[in-house]
Amino acid sequence: MTDTKSIRRITVVGTGVIGASWTALFLARGLQVVATDVAPNAEAALRKFVDTAWPALKRLGLSPGASQSSLKFTASLPEALAGADLVQENGPERIDFKQKFYRQLDELLPAETIIASSSSGLTMSEIQLGAVSHPERCVIAHPFNPPHLIPLVEIVGGAKTSEETIRRASDFYASIGQRPVRLNKEMPGHVANRLQAALGREVYYLVAEGVISAADVDTALCWGPGLRWGIMGNMMLNHLGGGRGGIEHFFQQFTGPMTAWWKTLGSPVLTPELQNKLIESVHAEVGSRSIEELEAERDELLLQLIELRNRAPKTSTARQAVAGAA
Amino acid sequence: MTDTKSIRRITVVGTGVIGASWTALFLARGLQVVATDVAPNAEAALRKFVDTAWPALKRLGLSPGASQSSLKFTASLPEALAGADLVQENGPERIDFKQKFYRQLDELLPAETIIASSSSGLTMSEIQLGAVSHPERCVIAHPFNPPHLIPLVEIVGGAKTSEETIRRASDFYASIGQRPVRLNKEMPGHVANRLQAALGREVYYLVAEGVISAADVDTALCWGPGLRWGIMGNMMLNHLGGGRGGIEHFFQQFTGPMTAWWKTLGSPVLTPELQNKLIESVHAEVGSRSIEELEAERDELLLQLIELRNRAPKTSTARQAVAGAA
């Protein structure tokens, strides 16, 4: 863990929604942040985002030395990169742009500086082709939006990424309280987006087929299995679902019905007509409630759930995850 | 809602895990319960279950008049059914048994008594063929285990079930604080089990392919999207995922990537070899932690999350669900 402690100065490249949220998180963890973005008005928008996020970060607990004044902004890339221990890159999701940009980063940064990409749609094997000299220090560190509230970070290397980079990056995110997970292979959508896509597909299918309304399928999820997924993962829940016999008994008992259900799961096609049906059903659920009102409700509950989870005794998956990363 | 209030006396038929949990819930809501089961020692096991569940039910709030002493047990079916306003049936999941049994229930009960089945694997259209005289009062009311903690109840009628039965059953479960959802069509696994199956399939696939360990995929779920599914459903989260543009903008932005991910989702076959791989990965995650310890952790967090959700302002999906059912 020694070299994790030396990661004190982060450069955030690209301060859109994801970059701004990373910035708020890093500041709350007492790190020095230099942010850069070419968009006009980027600095003002970033400082506003951080200021708005700060009360929530305060509730979750600021690290010693955490301060909004540790944020510097510059439109100059070389200036932004000077002295960086880790670069969190949140640039546009176009492979031609990324490869050119990684060539620049690679030239400007010393070999030991980690370049971590928030990319959700590209693979590091492709991106790092641009980083001619030191592709081994490039890694995907994909957050789950918004990273200043949601701890998950998906770590996955490309063909040329070194094990040391993966370990140092994992240690770093764990050291600031995030929950890094390791992907051993590059997958479209990484892991969390795939899980969302798998669940969403069946949700859309059931509403599309007229089996259930959006309001009722939401109730079924968030007052049913979703309650458990807010506290433990699928595999551990299966282990407990097997009773005294654990995961072995779970498979003995449920392989039959599960396999039968899999055969009947839907594969909807999101035609404009189906989208309209889903949109109408969501509006019936939403009624007169504004997006702002619903967002505030979601974020307040999310904060409370994270506080609750953080208070839980450290026998949990949490401990395992940190131990696994350390 | 008037006739909901008249449902005061419940007969629980079959007091295995599900029946016992229903019994505890009904007692906590101040209802009179008569339970029946042919298994030797059923009464002692049931009373022990209720007693063990009681502290959690107390924390969530007992209704006026709630008392364990409102539980009567008899091995005689006709005695158990006498005076019932609603029968919660939790018998074996075999269609021949269920049809014969519904013939008996139908003969012994007055026409207005609702027969609600906890069946997860059979359809009411098949089951109610046994209830020759009054099939219209038979309905599926499928809980999410354990019903004394998890509020979801899936309501679905068979071909001969009346709208009035569906409405009365929904009103009843809503009146005792559960979250009934309405299925307009019979589906294998109803809804919640299908959502679990859809998610689980991709989880197993990713572990099977060596993309990620059980520990890490659990972290990815319960510190990532699972946090949100513990507080809101997929459709509402999509609506908020679209920003100011709501669900319309969500589909504009994400139909492309989602559809691409769907094409790459896995279809694992749960061979003995794959089961062993999954089992090993779960044991690596569990380490030395006992099932009892993990269960206690799950249940404590679950209680806290439900308390948190119950305290939330009633602008939530919750209110909508109750309003929808009323």
Side-chain angles (χ1 to χ4, degrees), chain A residues 16-33:
Chain A
V17 181
I18 300 289
S21 178
W22 274 124
T23 300
L25 174 74
F26 295 142
L27 291 169
R29 292 297 163 266
L31 301 171
Q32 300 293 317
V33 182

Side-chain angles (χ1 to χ4, degrees), chain A residues 145 185 228 289 297 315, chain B residues 145 185 209 228 289 315:
Chain A
N145 195 35
K185 292 180 191 175
R228 288 192 184 152
R289 295 175 291 174
E297 181 184 325
T315 56
Chain B
N145 196 34
K185 293 182 190 174
E209 293 293 304
R228 289 193 184 151
R289 293 175 292 174
T315 57

Side-chain angles (χ1 to χ4, degrees), chain A residues 241-264:
Chain A
R244 301 301 99 172
I247 184 73
E248 289 85 349
H249 186 64
F250 174 86
F251 281 122
Q252 281 160 25
Q253 205 174 353
F254 295 110
T255 296
M258 259 193 324
T259 304
W261 295 328
W262 286 352
K263 285 184 189 138
T264 72

